[in-house]
Amino acid sequence: MRTSTQAAPRQSPWRGLARRPARPWARRVEPYLFLSPTVLLMLVLMLVPIVMVIGYSLMDRVIMTKDSRYAGLVNYVDVLTNPVFWTAVRNTTFFTGVSVVAHLVLGMGFALLLNSPLLGNATKAIFRVIYILPWLFTVAIIAVLWRLLLNPNGVVNHLLQGAGLVDEKVEWLASTSTALYAVTFVNIWSGYPFYMMSLLAGLQGIPRDLYEAAVVDGAGGWQRFAHVTLPQLRPIIVSIAMLDVIFTTQQFALIWMTTGGGPINVTEMLSTFTYKLAFSKYDFATASASAVIIFGFSMVLAFFYVRHQKARD
Amino acid sequence: MEPRGLRRAVMKAGVLFALLAGAVVVAFPVVWMAVSSFKSNPEIFELPPRLVTESFSFDAYTTILRDPVKVRFFVNSYVVALSVTALTLVVAILAGYAFSRFDFVGKRPLNMIIVSVQAVPPITLLIPYFGLMVTLRLYNTYAALILTYMVFTLPYAIIMMTGYFNTLPRELDEAVRVDGAGSMTALWRILVPISIPGLVSVGIYTFMIAWNEYLFALTLTRTQDMRTVPIGIQLLMGQHSYEWNEMMAMSILGCIPVLVLFLFFQRFFIGGMTAGSVKS
């Protein structure tokens, strides 16, 4: 999904032209003009807000009041000594870890099935459309849909009772013992198609002669997967898994619309924890401290992602 | 049948069975959404649950489409998503052209900033955005949503457009420039028209992000006449009781634009989805 920008591989002719007396200044300024809308937007809507949120996090109260004062690191201490924050860290870690692994396993499994040479192209096309379906829905839609399905009187309980898997109506999203698993499951359901499609594109890009050579060497199906397919897909897997970690740790809408972080914080994530501080308790200063902590964590992830992408170029 | 052929047939049956089993789990929720949207509300939790109802009706749809408040959610979503798409494309074309065709001081750092900006958590920006939009008197306007969405659509669009322009030979636009035309002419007359496939991919992806956005729409708008579809769906929950059939009908209506884009532009759609992680 994301790569880094890079100039066309050819040596630029403009570098030579720029040294000529004819319009050298205009030519040198030109790229900056083309980039000015981007830079302006990034300054106003990225740099300024980040400076603002760091500023807020060092004040005693902000936004709702005019007389805010510098408060040092008090807000950070408040966040880091709040047990709910650590619950949110644990939940976010579980939610992200399980989602990413399940996404990868399902995405790989479906991609391999959809790439099978045993099936006709029409069959593959039909299944591909079905399997991509969850990715076409807004998180808001996914949330209400699964609230309907997982309702105690809903169809999931009915089917599971029919199959003898549960004895009574389970309150999947409202019970402290199941809510975290339920939201993680929904996130897995909605997120695997991205892996599947990326891996499918990757599979189709693996040169056939690699497999032919492996067959000549007497490699079986599993060995071909382990020694040809996996190494060839490795850069793609690392890229999408990193992106998935970055975006899953930031997931808000799904949690907010299914459980709201409850019951009793069992599905509280870093995003919902921060949102509640700001927009339920109107404690914007403490919320900003929490937001800055999340920001720092995301930037660490981004650093590794950018480094990986640069290594691939 | 010879053993090899038999083995092949058994494997094919196995693959088909696995795909079918997976498809049931994947597609059932979607089918259930559609089925429920045609039921009456009391029927939603009727036991045993039925796939085909006796009282099949479009009532839930007509209720939504006759309610100006709910129609407004759709109008808002279209206005915001289409504006974001158009603006993102224009800005990304300009930036992509600079990255693809020029070498300049600060190119690498700027490039890295654009890549890493994508990882900035929305929740971090939300609090200052709230303050910023109130200060700029943009709170509860289309502009608040359009501007903030662009922060998340633009980096990806720039990266994609740069990549697309890089696949086009430089000779194309150089020829025009040698004839004395400026860069703007080379870009808009030569490069952009042959970049339509790339623009479609980027446009679809951008539209989808804007159409689906929830957090900013929830926080940066307040009145019902400014709400978008994702918030509208949520507002149906617990207004009086839960109107499940209406929520499902609204969900179906809400995913139609993305579904249509997908069906008509499947190749571009998947191109936009996988472009970054897969490299040719």
Side-chain angles (χ1 to χ4, degrees):
Chain A
M1 189 162 66
R2 279 106 222 258
T3 58
S4 59
T5 51
Q6 201 185 34
R10 275 195 46 198
Q11 179 69 37
S12 162
W14 308 127
R15 190 173 287 172
L17 286 174
R19 291 203 196 91
R20 281 191 211 160
R23 296 169 63 196
W25 185 81
R27 191 132 302 160
R28 234 177 292 156
V29 164
E30 238 182 345
Y32 299 106
L33 290 179
F34 285 121
L35 282 165
S36 54
T38 306
V39 171
L40 187 70
L41 264 169
M42 287 299 154
L43 280 179
V44 177
L45 291 168
M46 192 54 77
L47 188 66
V48 169
I50 289 171
V51 172
M52 280 170 77
V53 75
I54 293 172
Y56 287 165
S57 74
L58 301 170
M59 305 288 207
D60 61 348
R61 56 211 150 135
V62 286
I63 295 184
M64 304 310 284
T65 161
K66 294 245 184 287
D67 60 330
S68 42
R69 279 176 324 220
Y70 177 75
L73 296 174
V74 171
N75 295 317
Y76 289 91
V77 174
D78 278 354
V79 170
L80 294 172
T81 53
N82 186 340
V84 181
F85 173 79
W86 294 104
T87 308
V89 169
R90 270 199 307 280
N91 291 340
T92 309
T93 310
F94 174 88
F95 180 72
T96 308
V98 174
S99 292
V100 169
V101 171
H103 281 158
L104 180 59
V105 171
L106 285 175
M108 179 68 91
F110 291 150
L112 287 171
L113 287 171
L114 288 175
N115 197 44
S116 165
L118 296 164
L119 300 179
N121 283 336
T123 319
K124 284 186 202 174
I126 293 169
F127 277 114
R128 201 174 54 210
V129 170
I130 296 175
Y131 278 108
I132 212 173
L133 274 177
W135 203 71
L136 301 178
F137 295 105
T138 307
V139 190
I141 295 176
I142 291 166
V144 289
L145 172 58
W146 280 94
R147 282 181 71 153
L148 173 67
L149 294 161
L150 294 175
N151 189 289
N153 298 314
V155 67
V156 167
N157 271 336
H158 179 77
L159 292 175
L160 290 177
Q161 273 180 317
L165 291 170
V166 295
D167 304 328
E168 54 193 9
K169 287 173 177 170
V170 183
E171 302 236 14
W172 295 104
L173 291 166
S175 149
T176 50
S177 56
T178 55
L180 184 58
Y181 303 113
V183 290
T184 308
F185 175 84
V186 175
N187 191 57
I188 292 168
W189 179 83
S190 68
Y192 77 84
F194 171 57
Y195 282 69
M196 183 185 79
M197 297 314 296
S198 298
L199 292 172
L200 194 55
L203 282 172
Q204 285 157 356
I206 300 177
R208 290 194 83 85
D209 46 338
L210 285 179
Y211 288 108
E212 282 156 17
V215 172
V216 171
D217 289 345
W222 171 250
Q223 283 172 316
R224 286 201 296 273
F225 177 72
H227 296 293
V228 179
T229 313
L230 267 188
Q232 287 285 314
L233 291 180
R234 199 177 158 268
I236 300 179
I237 294 174
V238 175
S239 282
I240 45 182
M242 281 169 139
L243 283 173
D244 198 24
V245 170
I246 292 173
F247 292 122
T248 310
T249 49
Q250 299 171 0
Q251 177 61 265
F252 170 82
L254 180 66
I255 308 294
W256 192 247
M257 291 189 69
T258 49
T259 64
I264 335 175
N265 302 329
V266 293
T267 61
E268 197 77 88
M269 303 288 157
L270 286 169
S271 56
T272 53
F273 170 76
T274 310
Y275 186 87
K276 281 181 188 169
L277 278 179
F279 297 98
S280 301
K281 296 184 182 159
Y282 299 105
D283 187 353
F284 287 99
T286 315
S288 296
S290 175
V292 172
I293 294 169
I294 299 174
F295 173 68
F297 172 71
S298 294
M299 285 302 101
V300 172
L301 290 177
F303 170 77
F304 286 110
Y305 176 69
V306 171
R307 208 173 62 168
H308 175 254
Q309 292 294 22
K310 268 171 74 184
R312 281 180 74 185
D313 284 339
Chain B
M1 223 187 289
E2 54 175 310
R4 237 189 112 79
L6 180 68
R7 207 186 117 105
R8 221 181 129 78
V10 169
M11 275 177 67
K12 184 174 172 174
V15 169
L16 267 178
F17 178 77
L19 278 173
L20 272 174
V24 168
V25 178
V26 168
F28 175 75
V30 182
V31 172
W32 198 250
M33 168 161 68
V35 167
S36 303
S37 71
F38 297 118
K39 289 182 178 175
S40 70
N41 209 38
E43 263 184 314
I44 294 270
F45 294 121
E46 210 180 51
L47 288 173
R50 263 185 278 224
L51 270 179
V52 185
T53 56
E54 284 153 15
S55 63
F56 177 94
S57 81
F58 288 96
D59 287 355
Y61 291 89
T62 46
T63 313
I64 286 170
L65 294 174
R66 280 202 191 125
D67 184 345
V69 174
K70 284 164 192 153
V71 172
R72 182 71 193 245
F73 298 150
F74 286 93
V75 173
N76 291 343
S77 269
Y78 277 107
V79 169
V80 170
L82 289 174
S83 311
V84 170
T85 308
L87 287 170
T88 301
L89 282 177
V90 171
V91 177
I93 285 171
L94 294 172
Y97 182 60
F99 276 123
S100 172
R101 295 301 199 254
F102 293 87
D103 281 312
F104 52 91
V105 179
K107 180 169 167 172
R108 281 182 64 85
L110 196 58
N111 180 10
M112 275 181 48
I113 289 171
I114 286 174
V115 174
S116 24
V117 150
Q118 299 174 103
V120 175
I123 191 83
T124 301
L125 296 171
L126 184 70
I127 298 165
Y129 279 173
F130 181 70
L132 210 57
M133 291 307 158
V134 171
T135 314
L136 297 173
R137 298 183 188 279
L138 291 177
Y139 179 66
N140 202 35
T141 65
Y142 287 142
L145 297 186
I146 293 168
L147 283 171
T148 52
Y149 289 6
M150 281 186 72
V151 173
F152 291 96
T153 57
L154 199 53
Y156 176 74
I158 292 175
I159 292 162
M160 286 275 291
M161 279 327 295
T162 308
Y164 201 89
F165 286 149
N166 282 348
T167 64
L168 306 173
R170 275 175 179 246
E171 285 77 8
L172 280 172
D173 40 312
E174 272 167 37
V176 181
R177 298 198 42 150
V178 170
D179 289 346
S183 300
M184 273 302 210
T185 319
L187 172 61
W188 292 101
R189 289 282 170 80
I190 306 295
L191 284 183
V192 169
I194 54 174
S195 303
I196 298 292
L199 289 169
V200 173
S201 284
V202 179
I204 290 175
Y205 200 88
T206 305
F207 180 88
M208 212 174 132
I209 291 179
W211 184 265
N212 291 348
E213 207 286 331
Y214 175 81
L215 179 59
F216 290 173
L218 176 70
T219 318
L220 301 180
T221 62
R222 187 188 65 237
T223 55
Q224 268 205 343
D225 61 323
M226 290 309 298
R227 295 299 202 181
T228 56
V229 172
I231 311 298
I233 292 172
Q234 188 203 10
L235 288 177
L236 284 178
M237 287 197 274
Q239 247 177 355
H240 315 286
S241 59
Y242 283 36
E243 302 290 340
W244 285 108
N245 56 343
E246 279 184 42
M247 278 195 269
M248 292 303 124
M250 191 136 163
S251 299
I252 296 278
L253 293 172
C255 68
I256 280 176
V258 177
L259 219 56
V260 167
L261 285 175
F262 175 72
L263 289 176
F264 284 95
F265 299 100
Q266 216 188 112
R267 195 165 57 88
F268 302 113
F269 200 98
I270 292 167
M273 179 179 180
T274 59
S277 52
V278 186
K279 291 199 173 179
S280 49

